[in-house]
Amino acid sequence: NPYILATLLFGLGLGTTITFASSHWLLAWMGLEINTLAIIPLMAQHHHPRAVEATTKYFLTQATAAAMLLFASTTNAWLTGQWDIQQMSHPFPLTLITLALALKIGLAPMHTWLPEVLQGLDLTTGLVLSTWQKLAPFALLLQIQNVNPTILVTLGLASTLVGGWGGLNQTQLRKVLAYSSIAHLGWMILILQYSPSLTLLALLTYFVMTFSTFLVFKLNKSTSINALAISWTKAPILTSLTPLVLLSLGGLPPLTGFMPKWLILQELAKQDLAPLATLAALSALLSLYFYLRISYAMTLTMSPNNLTAVTPWRFSSPQLTLPLAIATTATISLL
């Protein structure tokens, strides 16, 4: 029903906006809750057992994270008499809130729900979950000052490593994208303390690249690596561009995805954290392997030539192709 859909999307926007605009922890918490409640019907809309299971898992983790956040902010108000987001001073609520937000966006080691949830969803809802749902928690992470840098660095490094290793033995594209998301978030968290503007840049480029990838898979109607092998017959032009999109996600030099990684490594080196930068750069190689694997499945495998499937790409819907064209161009050539 378009009215219900409009209401849910409005709720999704409203929740994030409330969190953006709030300087009081209660209001921020309320925004996050509205956000969660609005996406749940969207996740369960297909009434598939997997979708319902994914929705339940998502609801439970988000509710836990929100409860942790509320508990931490109340504790902070109790200890310091402050409800203001930017004036957090006590280390205990600070740590707790950082962990709650990490659980909300799915940073390692609180990441295990993300691949499971994403796997049960439609690609469009999956896209919303991978992009829009990360905005509100990130706004809060950017606002809280004087967090212990060790916590953030540990979370960031663990996420890049888990995101790299976890994606290696996956055959389902949505799970691969989930692990890729964890790795990218790890990079953002690594630099959060030292250069928040770089975190925002990384977030923005990640959004553009993920948008492009999800739309490609949606156009191909593929959810596993095997299904990609016949994408030549479905969308030949797109199939030859997709490896560039995937390599951009991996962060290879002439493509857009290289920019945030380059700047992040440079900033880490400036902060005398060369070993950390080296580890992060090496963990990016892990992710590169599975992006290459997907590219290989798409472009270097010959598909069985069935004449019935040769033409669908000529009649693809304009509401999908225009954003896809924009996102793909941006992903490949914004560097």
Side-chain angles (χ1 to χ4, degrees):
N1 189 323
Y3 293 115
I4 295 178
L5 186 65
T7 310
L8 293 176
L9 290 175
F10 176 71
L12 212 58
L14 180 73
T16 306
T17 317
I18 287 178
T19 306
F20 275 3
S22 60
S23 56
H24 190 287
W25 274 117
L26 265 182
L27 208 57
W29 168 81
M30 196 173 78
L32 291 171
E33 283 293 283
I34 293 174
N35 213 346
T36 305
L37 291 177
I39 201 174
I40 277 177
L42 289 173
M43 293 169 81
Q45 64 186 335
H46 292 296
H47 300 303
H48 190 271
R50 289 298 300 271
V52 175
E53 182 192 346
T55 312
T56 313
K57 284 178 179 169
Y58 182 76
F59 176 68
L60 290 174
T61 47
Q62 296 298 310
T64 311
M68 267 174 77
L69 191 96
L70 191 59
F71 172 68
S73 46
T74 318
T75 311
N76 185 57
W78 180 50
L79 290 169
T80 61
Q82 280 290 350
W83 276 105
D84 206 279
I85 293 179
Q86 302 200 334
Q87 295 180 349
M88 295 277 290
S89 52
H90 202 280
F92 174 66
L94 262 175
T95 309
L96 208 53
I97 275 181
T98 312
L99 292 176
L101 291 170
L103 176 60
K104 251 200 177 325
I105 53 179
L107 286 170
M110 284 83 80
H111 67 282
T112 37
W113 60 272
L114 187 58
E116 299 285 326
V117 168
L118 209 52
Q119 180 55 34
L121 300 183
D122 174 39
L123 282 168
T124 322
T125 323
L127 175 60
V128 173
L129 183 69
S130 302
T131 54
W132 186 256
Q133 293 299 91
K134 307 264 188 260
L135 281 171
F138 251 100
L140 293 177
L141 273 172
L142 282 164
Q143 282 184 73
I144 51 177
Q145 262 92 39
N146 57 38
V147 187
N148 186 355
T150 323
I151 296 172
L152 288 179
V153 165
T154 312
L155 283 172
L157 202 55
S159 298
T160 52
L161 290 167
V162 163
W165 268 310
L168 289 182
N169 62 349
Q170 301 296 338
T171 56
Q172 296 294 324
L173 291 176
R174 284 166 294 185
K175 279 195 176 171
V176 169
L177 284 171
Y179 281 110
S180 135
S181 166
I182 295 166
H184 279 274
L185 291 171
W187 279 85
M188 293 169 215
I189 294 295
L190 270 181
I191 201 66
L192 187 68
Q193 201 69 10
Y194 307 107
S195 172
S197 51
L198 273 187
T199 299
L200 282 174
L201 176 74
L203 192 65
L204 196 65
T205 47
Y206 161 72
F207 276 11
V208 173
M209 296 186 295
T210 308
F211 206 76
S212 185
T213 318
F214 267 100
L215 290 183
V216 167
F217 294 156
K218 191 172 168 55
L219 195 73
N220 270 329
K221 298 187 174 61
S222 21
T223 53
S224 72
I225 292 184
N226 284 347
L228 284 177
I230 54 167
S231 44
W232 268 119
T233 49
K234 293 179 187 167
I237 303 158
L238 198 66
T239 307
S240 47
L241 279 179
T242 312
L244 288 174
V245 174
L246 288 163
L247 292 177
S248 181
L249 261 172
L252 272 189
L255 305 163
T256 311
F258 173 58
M259 172 175 56
K261 291 194 170 170
W262 178 25
L263 293 169
I264 285 171
L265 290 175
Q266 187 183 1
E267 183 60 38
L268 285 173
K270 278 184 192 164
Q271 300 285 347
D272 286 340
L273 294 170
L276 183 65
T278 314
L279 272 172
L282 288 174
S283 70
L285 292 176
L286 290 165
S287 313
L288 200 56
Y289 176 79
F290 59 78
Y291 294 129
L292 271 172
R293 197 167 135 221
I294 299 176
S295 312
Y296 178 84
M298 277 192 89
T299 50
L300 298 180
T301 45
M302 283 297 289
S303 58
N305 234 340
N306 53 338
L307 288 171
T308 49
V310 171
T311 48
W313 57 279
R314 297 176 194 206
F315 314 114
S316 56
S317 59
Q319 68 262 28
L320 185 62
T321 43
L322 181 67
L324 178 57
I326 296 169
T328 304
T329 313
T331 305
I332 293 172
S333 54
L334 266 185
L335 177 61

